[in-house]
Amino acid sequence: DMYPSASFVGVDVVEVGGLNTARRLIVERGLDDRVSVQKMNVEDLTFREEFDGITLTNVFHELLPVARRETVIGNCFQALKRPGALLIRDMAYPSTLEGLRDPDYASGVYNQYQEMAWGTIHPTREDRQGWFSKAGFTSVEHYLVPGIASGMQYFDIARKR
């Protein structure tokens, strides 16, 4: 156990599968004294300066309508202590026509095409940077990571100082 004094809170909207599996594994592994999960929409977060770090993994592009994304980033900012960090990992989507032609972006472009009927709109780096700045994050690092099985991913690390 590398971090015996750390505690974790997981939030998800899916009870069947996600949260039920997490609850079972938490108990099976004897972590119920410091790990918990809650069913909650991330835009309904009510935490205030309680977390050192927050991660959103392959969910950001699913937040609809798109206006929810700004709310989510703002709520994450409020939930973080100073200093704190928000890490977002999701499928990379290009900002330019040239990027649409780049094979590294194929999974994000293909996923955008598949989910277009649902209204999914993958955010570009510029979209995300705007939301981070508006929320109050003063230091943001953007990384593109090719070679992941599901295609190129982006990692954004937004810091609350």
Side-chain angles (χ1 to χ4, degrees):
D1 196 19
M2 292 180 62
Y3 304 99
S5 62
S7 61
F8 301 88
V9 176
V11 174
D12 201 343
V13 295
V14 181
E15 195 75 46
V16 176
L19 291 175
N20 287 342
T21 300
R23 287 185 187 106
R24 179 180 53 79
L25 291 172
I26 288 166
V27 171
E28 283 178 11
R29 295 176 181 174
L31 300 171
D32 48 323
D33 60 328
R34 58 194 189 96
V35 178
S36 66
V37 293
Q38 300 177 28
K39 182 177 182 182
M40 179 187 305
N41 287 324
V42 72
E43 70 268 19
D44 295 331
L45 286 175
T46 57
F47 303 105
R48 297 291 177 261
E49 298 186 3
E50 295 184 42
F51 303 107
D52 297 309
I54 296 174
T55 61
L56 300 174
T57 304
N58 268 5
V59 70
F60 201 65
H61 76 277
E62 302 284 355
L63 295 172
L64 298 172
V66 171
R68 288 174 67 195
R69 296 171 186 177
E70 186 176 317
T71 302
V72 167
I73 296 290
N75 286 354
C76 288
F77 183 84
Q78 291 176 359
L80 285 169
K81 296 176 187 176
R82 288 184 192 273
L86 169 62
L87 169 67
I88 298 178
R89 180 184 71 89
D90 212 326
M91 286 177 273
Y93 194 78
S95 303
T96 64
L97 182 58
E98 182 69 25
L100 285 169
R101 296 181 183 120
D102 184 338
D104 283 338
Y105 286 103
S107 65
V109 172
Y110 182 65
N111 185 267
Q112 171 70 60
Y113 172 76
Q114 286 180 305
E115 297 183 1
M116 189 169 32
W118 304 331
T120 297
I121 299 172
H122 285 265
T124 64
R125 175 182 173 168
E126 292 79 13
D127 294 331
R128 298 185 320 269
Q129 181 61 49
W131 296 322
F132 291 135
S133 295
K134 190 169 183 180
F137 289 100
T138 55
S139 172
V140 181
E141 301 165 47
H142 303 279
Y143 300 97
L144 287 174
V145 183
I148 295 174
S150 59
M152 185 156 60
Q153 303 276 301
Y154 70 80
F155 289 85
D156 290 337
I157 304 170
R159 298 187 191 281
K160 179 177 183 178
R161 302 213 187 259

